[in-house]
Amino acid sequence: MNVNQQPHMATPYGQPQPGYQGYPQPGYGGDHVPSGYPAQYAPYNGPGSAYQQGPPQGTRGPPTSGAPPVSGAQNYSQFGQGENQNGPPPMGAPPQRPPVSQPYTPGAVNLPGPQHPYGQRFGAPPVSMQHMTNQMASMQVGSTAPSPAGPGYAPPSVSQAAVSAPYTPAAPPTFPPASTASSQPLPTEALAQAPPHSYYGALPPVQQPFQNAVPTFSSAGPTQPQAPPPVSPQSFPQAPPISQPPFSTAQVHPGPTQSYRGPPMASQGPPMAQANHILPTQPGMPPGPINASLSGPPPQPGMQGYPPQQNGAFGQVRGPQPGYTGPYPGQPNYGAPPAAPASAPAAPKRLDPDSIPSPIQVIEDDKANKGSEPFTTGVRGQAPPLVTTKFQVKDQGNASPRYIRCTAYNMPCNSDMAKQSQVPLAAVIKPLAPLPPDETPPYLVDHGESGPIRCNRCKAYMCPYMQFIEGGRRFQCGFCNCVTEVPPNYFQHLDHTGKRVDCYDRPELSMGSYDFMTTVDYCKNNKFPQPPAFIFLIDVSYNAVKNGTVGIVCQELKTLLDYLPRENPDVESNIRVGFVTYNKVLHFYNVKASLAQPQMMVVSDVADMFVPLLDGFLVSVSESRVVIESLLDQIPEMFADTRETETVFGPVIQAGLEALKAADCAGKLFVFHSSLPIAEAPGKLKNREDKKLVGTDKEKTLFQPQVSFYNTLAKECVAQGCCVDLFLFPNQYVDVATLGVVPTSTGGSIYKYTYFQAPSDQERFLNDLRRDVQKQVGFDAVMRVRTSTGIRATDFFGAFYMSNTTDVELAGLDCDKTVTVEFRHDDKLSEETGALMQCAVLYTSCSGQRRLRIHNMAVNCCSQLADLYRNCETDTIINFFAKYAYRSVLSSPTKNVRDSLVNQCAQILACYRKNCASPSSAGQLILPECMKLLPVYLNCVLKSDVLQPGADVSLDDRAYLRQLVSTMDVAESHVFFYPHLLPLQKLDVESMALPMAVRDSEERLSRGGVYLLENGLNIFLWVGVSAQQELLQNIFGTPAFSQIDPNMTSLPALDNPFSKRLREIIESVRAQRSRYMKLMVVKQEDKLELIFKHFLVEDKSNSGGASYVDFLCHMHKEIRQLLS
């Protein structure tokens, strides 16, 4: 509902709207609000301290013809509660302040900012913050329909904190106590007590709640600060003072004033004028006239004088802004009589975080609405539940969302509409995704000698989109419309509806996903493949021996080799294995079953790699078990006293590749490597780590491989079906950007254990290794995506190689890997037929069978932008944007990459605002319901370590994360960019349900709580300094905070229900992720807390990344610039 500022509104107060996360919205008016605020101030955060009586000066244009100074408790508006005052404020009225809190309608986000429509005398530029502010205030982030409540002034909510909070003397020193304020006494109520955790009071809580949460988004007017939503005490504690966002520092308001640092532009209202921020009164400033119209409808375009919003309009003051001393230094005190010297700046208030779209609320709503029913895939163009919702899928003709997720389930009919909206059209495809136990894996269809039935022209495989005609003798392709004869052995009669009578007996005619057995024509060189091989290549240089990895790997392989992948659990795996160790030279081992002891052969000519033995290198585990175990016992002893520190790397991969070539099979190399390969050999590297290049135009070279050798080697590996998985144990720079080329081009994985220490990291490494060896994998894979006429696949993202524009080649394709495909129009689409895509992956199974995995997907097409915006999936869009951006850093400076992401996102939202939202003031930020989280998630991508690194992030870590994200599915990228934060103090041990997650912000952490945060790579257990003794006793076995050992990596197994339940939760969270997450215990105020805070992504980051609130304002400013 947008809270649009529409002139014709019903009474200013709408019905109570349910607040956005359940917070009631405040209203504006004159009666007392139940919560104790004088209603008239309710909407504001308190009396407008900022509005001094006296003719406002400076930018706040003079009130029209002399508004009477507002005195103390003046009514907000001259009109009584029910009167709307439309039109310019009457002459004697103080300048109108637009009502603020429009309900948060979920649809529009109102960012306050200057609204152009008004003729402000101050001439605010269109973007001024004010607008934003208001807008934000009413940020409706949601649907766009106007809210029922009319313009959205909801009655005050009960829960509002006393409005007066802001004035409490508790305020941070910067705001001198209210009492000093002006000569006009504040309305008494306004001085009322601050709420218990007064937001103004101690700095820590700095976040002032944004006045009422949601409402804050007032739609357009300066937002009146709403009272803070009831926040739980923990809610806003200690947020660091918000520093200015990089963008504009205006908190969220766009506008000239962006930074709080300089004087606000003239067009901005008094700095404090924001409604939303009512600042504590400054000494010497009389409480200003309250704008008369608070209760009235939003100002209409001719309203003159209402103070432009200031930048702070968005709600909470987060504590004095650093660096500012008096009302803006050097600025005229707007509207205030000169402030007393002491006066501290009233920090502009920030938008209330509770009034802007909450990821947690959206996730919980989706669970409630879509988690109980199975998701049936028979309906075309139906968006699936979010990745955070547990649901069961029933395949009825389209691929399950576990295999394919699209950015839009309603594609634009033509390219002009796609360009106008800028919504990316892409699919994230995970061809071999594992399914939960209650879902049936794809059926295997065998058409015998003739092989799969295909369209003669486009070669699409038989699927539910093929239409049988002429009594079943021919079929018309759904992709290219070509008519093909049905082979006699596949013929079947049609029923009265035109469907084959055996339709539901054949998976390829009724299901979205299935496998075909293929014939020899689908095999390399027209011969069936040999079973694949696994080769283990172990670094035995000094570093690897010293840190314990050599011993750990050898010990683990003795048992792990019994768990090689197989299709039938009762039959032993037919994968063969081989072993190599290396430092500056390579050692091959003959482990033939007939030998009493393994034999070692050394190849020291690494410049011309060859395999010194054929027979006895690749063996069956069951036949050679005794010899293999003997070898694995001997390796750690043989190299225990090595002094060789240098290693090679290129020849190691060449050795594995040559062994697979000699055996004429595909396979996987598991390389365990510790250091930069500086020994003389092909692929030798030098240390090029140069932090001075970060942030410059040359930064992109750090993500590119140092030498071209590895690109050529990767191409050879793909041709042979040789996939490489790399386990790195570096203590310093190893150039992951270069070492990772072969793994990421062959469909392999990289695992990195920096500063590996056996006691704390062994568990993570061994779990990763076990899963990597055991998981289902296909070899020598080729994937092609076919589409119906009108669109085509134009771009691909992931860990693969492409030798032409259509075939994605993967030496290995495991169950965790995704390939992301972008589509573009090459013709028009029709709304009747929709758009079809078919992903076909040809691969060799781990048993050596050549198969085809087929996934089909049909989406709707639309000629109206509103339909496109109604059926998008934000999580998938973010997955695509992250991959696109992370690839772009190879060719563009990171700043340009960030700017282009912001620009595209602003264009998507501006197009919606212009073409789909109901008309409303420019001050409102209006977001489509299904994209209301686009800004918060996009901000997480922008400030991720790859695009905006902190000083402590190494180049290797950035290269590693860049490669990791390229193959993530939507569930992994979601939790990676917006970590999952659970309040354990609310855990109910009786129930299987988890406590509701909280938002990723420090102000949501309670000093008395214990929280679990996970992002797919790490798990943190954050312990508040005043956590209850009983809770600590149950988790750690000690009641004292000081006795908790921050170095523990696993929780003690205590005999109490809480400990058992918590350990179960940690195990179940780990089981959902593709990598094992090491547990880190973080005590509040401990040095590790800085690492933990890095994952509180709604807050400002140390590397300059903006907080969510600030970014939202920045986005609004960008959108308004596009619209103007």
Side-chain angles (χ1 to χ4, degrees):
M1 328 131 72
N2 312 340
V3 162
N4 306 331
Q5 313 229 199
Q6 297 175 323
H8 38 288
M9 12 213 9
T11 89
Y13 312 89
Q15 296 18 320
Q17 299 255 3
Y20 182 17
Q21 347 227 56
Y23 291 124
Q25 322 240 331
Y28 301 79
D31 311 26
H32 238 116
V33 184
S35 52
Y37 308 65
Q40 30 188 101
Y41 295 111
Y44 260 103
N45 261 346
S49 34
Y51 301 90
Q52 286 43 68
Q53 21 158 159
Q57 332 180 318
T59 55
R60 202 197 179 176
T64 3
S65 107
V70 146
S71 44
Q74 180 152 327
N75 232 314
Y76 263 7
S77 98
Q78 310 169 273
F79 298 81
Q81 274 216 336
E83 313 173 50
N84 252 1
Q85 159 188 312
N86 279 340
M91 290 319 239
Q96 275 230 209
R97 182 178 266 283
V100 125
S101 118
Q102 282 18 18
Y104 167 72
T105 22
V109 169
N110 260 0
L111 287 181
Q115 333 260 222
H116 333 75
Y118 307 55
Q120 293 174 272
R121 319 167 172 193
F122 340 106
V127 265
S128 61
M129 335 274 324
Q130 1 197 140
H131 253 144
M132 219 151 176
T133 13
N134 320 349
Q135 316 213 221
M136 286 214 87
S138 80
M139 193 152 194
Q140 321 225 313
V141 174
S143 43
T144 43
S147 69
Y153 305 107
S157 81
V158 184
S159 52
Q160 305 193 117
V163 101
S164 45
Y167 300 93
T168 59
T174 14
F175 310 121
S179 48
T180 44
S182 71
S183 44
Q184 317 246 188
L186 284 176
T188 43
E189 311 96 67
L191 297 170
Q193 284 287 120
H197 25 278
S198 118
Y199 296 102
Y200 275 101
L203 255 180
V206 130
Q207 264 313 190
Q208 272 72 327
F210 201 168
Q211 314 327 298
N212 214 106
V214 135
T216 292
F217 266 161
S218 104
S219 15
T223 8
Q224 280 39 300
Q226 298 345 185
V231 205
S232 48
Q234 41 246 73
S235 274
F236 299 100
Q238 327 153 266
I242 184 158
S243 35
Q244 277 53 44
F247 316 128
S248 51
T249 42
Q251 305 275 234
V252 169
H253 329 82
T257 344
Q258 301 221 181
S259 43
Y260 287 102
R261 310 186 163 124
M265 312 288 256
S267 57
Q268 316 285 170
M272 335 153 180
Q274 262 38 13
N276 253 351
H277 325 112
I278 284 279
L279 316 155
T281 16
Q282 314 232 315
M285 306 182 138
I290 302 299
N291 280 4
S293 83
L294 274 182
S295 52
Q300 330 274 311
M303 287 190 159
Q304 356 250 159
Y306 78 85
Q309 267 322 133
Q310 197 42 64
N311 342 311
F314 284 112
Q316 338 260 141
V317 168
R318 282 240 205 182
Q321 295 285 73
Y324 264 97
T325 53
Y328 292 82
Q331 273 308 90
N333 283 344
Y334 293 42
S343 88
K349 300 208 165 153
R350 282 174 77 235
L351 240 182
D352 176 5
D354 284 304
S355 60
I356 56 184
S358 158
I360 305 303
Q361 190 64 45
V362 171
I363 288 168
E364 292 299 322
D365 290 349
D366 191 76
K367 284 178 183 170
N369 300 333
K370 299 185 179 177
S372 49
E373 294 294 305
F375 176 72
T376 53
T377 68
V379 183
R380 184 179 81 191
Q382 174 189 6
L386 298 180
V387 287
T388 43
T389 298
K390 270 201 175 133
F391 59 100
Q392 186 188 14
V393 180
K394 295 207 166 145
D395 184 341
Q396 296 184 353
N398 283 306
S400 159
R402 304 192 202 288
Y403 295 123
I404 301 185
R405 277 189 179 261
C406 299
T407 52
Y409 287 86
N410 219 333
M411 286 202 172
C413 279
N414 57 61
S415 58
D416 294 342
M417 189 171 156
K419 277 198 194 83
Q420 184 183 0
S421 72
Q422 288 287 312
V423 173
L425 303 178
V428 178
I429 306 173
K430 191 174 186 181
L432 303 183
L435 298 181
D438 59 351
E439 292 178 23
T440 316
Y443 290 99
L444 180 57
V445 179
D446 189 353
H447 286 317
E449 296 290 302
S450 58
I453 312 296
R454 308 176 68 174
C455 166
N456 274 345
R457 183 198 289 160
C458 71
K459 302 297 184 209
Y461 294 89
M462 180 53 66
C463 68
Y465 317 139
M466 303 300 190
Q467 179 75 39
F468 288 86
I469 54 177
E470 297 177 23
R473 287 187 294 278
R474 306 170 84 194
F475 68 89
Q476 182 170 24
C477 176
F479 296 90
C480 69
N481 298 322
C482 174
V483 174
T484 301
E485 294 286 330
V486 172
N489 60 346
Y490 194 68
F491 174 79
Q492 186 52 273
H493 294 285
L494 308 184
D495 65 12
H496 63 285
T497 64
K499 275 191 171 166
R500 283 173 55 126
V501 295
D502 63 352
C503 173
Y504 293 105
D505 301 330
R506 289 191 175 272
E508 74 275 20
L509 300 181
S510 56
M511 314 280 283
S513 302
Y514 40 88
D515 277 352
F516 281 123
M517 284 291 290
T518 64
T519 58
V520 75
D521 304 334
Y522 289 83
C523 302
K524 233 187 227 169
N525 307 325
N526 285 355
K527 59 181 190 192
F528 284 111
Q530 299 285 331
F534 281 4
I535 303 177
F536 298 90
L537 303 112
I538 306 166
D539 175 351
V540 290
S541 64
Y542 176 75
N543 282 338
V545 172
K546 190 181 65 168
N547 68 17
T549 51
V550 175
I552 292 168
V553 170
C554 292
Q555 186 59 35
E556 178 63 24
L557 288 179
K558 287 195 263 183
T559 48
L560 190 54
L561 295 178
D562 289 329
Y563 297 96
L564 297 176
R566 65 205 71 200
E567 300 202 26
N568 179 345
D570 307 326
V571 179
E572 72 176 46
S573 174
N574 55 5
I575 290 177
R576 291 169 298 161
V577 298
F579 303 88
V580 174
T581 55
Y582 67 93
N583 40 45
K584 256 195 337 195
V585 297
L586 277 76
H587 320 107
F588 292 79
Y589 297 92
N590 182 344
V591 283
K592 195 152 72 171
S594 57
L595 295 174
Q597 280 292 320
Q599 296 173 345
M600 176 163 101
M601 301 189 181
V602 180
V603 176
S604 51
D605 181 7
V606 290
D608 183 17
M609 185 44 60
F610 67 98
V611 179
L613 73 163
L614 293 179
D615 188 29
F617 179 65
L618 292 179
V619 298
S620 148
V621 176
S622 55
E623 291 170 13
S624 298
R625 176 177 308 280
V626 177
V627 190
I628 290 172
E629 294 205 348
S630 169
L631 170 67
L632 294 172
D633 285 333
Q634 291 176 37
I635 288 174
E637 295 167 12
M638 273 192 288
F639 298 98
D641 302 320
T642 183
R643 298 248 92 37
E644 183 54 75
T645 55
E646 293 188 357
T647 56
V648 294
F649 185 71
V652 178
I653 294 172
Q654 285 177 321
L657 172 61
E658 292 302 321
L660 294 178
K661 280 184 181 170
D664 193 24
C665 67
K668 192 182 244 196
L669 310 185
F670 295 83
V671 183
F672 303 91
H673 188 78
S674 66
S675 58
L676 190 69
I678 55 172
E680 267 317 315
K684 169 185 173 178
L685 301 179
K686 58 179 193 291
N687 187 336
R688 56 167 181 168
E689 184 174 33
D690 186 356
K691 283 280 182 88
K692 293 197 289 295
L693 298 182
V694 175
T696 68
D697 287 355
K698 290 192 177 163
E699 182 177 9
K700 58 180 183 255
T701 61
L702 301 174
F703 290 111
Q704 298 164 359
Q706 238 186 86
V707 291
S708 61
F709 171 82
Y710 292 101
N711 299 74
T712 312
L713 181 56
K715 186 175 172 179
E716 293 173 25
C717 287
V718 172
Q720 182 59 38
C722 168
C723 172
V724 179
D725 281 355
L726 176 58
F727 292 81
L728 284 171
F729 305 89
N731 287 336
Q732 55 201 15
Y733 179 73
V734 290
D735 200 351
V736 176
T738 305
L739 298 188
V741 168
V742 178
T744 53
S745 307
T746 58
S749 307
I750 303 173
Y751 296 86
K752 183 166 174 281
Y753 309 89
T754 310
Y755 305 120
F756 179 85
Q757 291 181 314
S760 57
D761 299 307
Q762 177 172 349
E763 185 186 18
R764 175 165 78 103
F765 163 55
L766 291 180
N767 277 283
D768 284 342
L769 177 60
R770 286 167 195 153
R771 188 171 190 284
D772 195 56
V773 168
Q774 295 174 45
K775 66 187 173 187
Q776 286 301 314
V777 58
F779 296 95
D780 235 338
V782 182
M783 172 175 137
R784 181 174 282 192
V785 178
R786 294 178 173 83
T787 51
S788 52
T789 312
I791 54 167
R792 62 196 169 91
T794 55
D795 207 353
F796 301 85
F797 302 82
F800 52 75
Y801 176 77
M802 291 187 80
S803 54
N804 58 36
T805 56
T806 54
D807 296 334
V808 174
E809 299 175 49
L810 300 119
L813 173 62
D814 65 51
C815 57
D816 297 324
K817 295 291 183 297
T818 60
V819 176
T820 301
V821 185
E822 185 179 15
F823 301 99
R824 295 193 188 264
H825 288 78
D826 54 9
D827 202 345
K828 289 196 167 55
L829 292 167
S830 90
E831 295 190 60
E832 291 73 59
T833 57
L836 311 178
M837 63 187 88
Q838 181 180 75
C839 164
V841 183
L842 179 63
Y843 67 99
T844 301
S845 70
C846 52
S847 60
Q849 281 184 340
R850 200 71 178 148
R851 292 190 184 164
L852 269 164
R853 167 68 55 96
I854 308 292
H855 295 299
N856 301 295
M857 187 77 187
V859 298
N860 287 332
C861 294
C862 56
S863 52
Q864 299 296 320
L865 284 164
D867 293 329
L868 164 65
Y869 284 100
R870 204 169 282 128
N871 273 299
C872 289
E873 204 195 29
T874 300
D875 294 325
T876 311
I877 291 174
I878 289 296
N879 178 284
F880 173 81
F881 276 158
K883 290 173 180 174
Y884 186 83
Y886 282 18
R887 186 178 69 183
S888 302
V889 299
L890 293 171
S891 52
S892 308
T894 48
K895 180 176 187 309
N896 299 10
V897 174
R898 291 197 306 268
D899 292 347
S900 74
L901 273 184
V902 172
N903 184 42
Q904 184 168 358
C905 184
Q907 287 185 325
I908 290 171
L909 299 176
C911 174
Y912 174 78
R913 172 61 190 268
K914 182 176 174 186
N915 301 289
C916 311
S918 42
S920 58
S921 98
Q924 261 179 300
L925 170 54
I926 300 180
L927 302 174
E929 178 63 32
C930 67
M931 287 191 191
K932 61 187 179 189
L933 300 180
L934 190 61
V936 61
Y937 290 161
L938 183 76
N939 187 38
C940 297
V941 174
L942 295 172
K943 61 190 199 179
S944 61
D945 290 337
V946 175
L947 298 181
Q948 192 159 21
D952 54 338
V953 181
S954 71
L955 294 175
D956 274 345
D957 280 333
R958 296 176 68 199
Y960 168 67
L961 293 174
R962 193 189 77 76
Q963 293 164 344
L964 192 62
V965 169
S966 70
T967 60
M968 279 186 179
D969 67 14
V970 181
E972 289 172 318
S973 62
H974 176 272
V975 76
F976 176 75
F977 289 113
Y978 194 90
H980 193 202
L981 182 61
L982 293 175
L984 298 178
Q985 66 276 20
K986 297 185 180 168
L987 178 63
D988 175 4
V989 293
E990 303 299 314
S991 149
M992 284 311 289
L994 294 177
M996 186 164 121
V998 295
R999 292 168 64 173
D1000 293 337
S1001 172
E1002 191 176 1
E1003 53 196 34
R1004 309 279 165 177
L1005 302 178
S1006 147
R1007 295 171 73 80
V1010 176
Y1011 295 80
L1012 188 73
L1013 180 144
E1014 64 105 1
N1015 72 341
L1017 299 181
N1018 312 87
I1019 291 188
F1020 294 96
L1021 191 65
W1022 182 90
V1023 187
V1025 77
S1026 7
Q1028 301 162 357
Q1029 294 188 352
E1030 183 189 4
L1031 191 60
L1032 299 183
Q1033 181 70 51
N1034 283 340
I1035 299 174
F1036 302 104
T1038 171
F1041 177 81
S1042 59
Q1043 288 171 15
I1044 296 168
D1045 174 12
N1047 299 314
M1048 66 170 70
T1049 55
S1050 61
L1051 295 178
L1054 304 175
D1055 189 16
N1056 68 68
F1058 195 96
S1059 173
K1060 287 184 183 135
R1061 181 76 184 103
L1062 175 55
R1063 283 177 289 121
E1064 278 168 17
I1065 289 171
I1066 291 173
E1067 285 318 305
S1068 76
V1069 166
R1070 282 174 170 156
Q1072 293 167 28
R1073 307 289 173 221
S1074 62
R1075 296 182 177 233
Y1076 187 85
M1077 299 180 287
K1078 174 176 158 184
L1079 177 72
M1080 292 176 68
V1081 175
V1082 177
K1083 295 165 71 171
Q1084 185 176 4
E1085 296 163 10
D1086 191 32
K1087 57 183 185 296
L1088 272 179
E1089 205 184 16
L1090 274 176
I1091 299 175
F1092 174 77
K1093 285 181 181 174
H1094 180 70
F1095 298 101
L1096 299 178
V1097 293
E1098 289 197 21
D1099 297 338
K1100 187 171 188 297
S1101 72
N1102 288 335
S1103 55
S1107 67
Y1108 173 21
V1109 167
D1110 293 333
F1111 182 68
L1112 197 53
C1113 292
H1114 177 68
M1115 278 306 302
H1116 183 227
K1117 172 181 146 195
E1118 294 285 321
I1119 291 165
R1120 293 208 6 246
Q1121 281 177 339
L1122 290 171
L1123 293 175
S1124 60

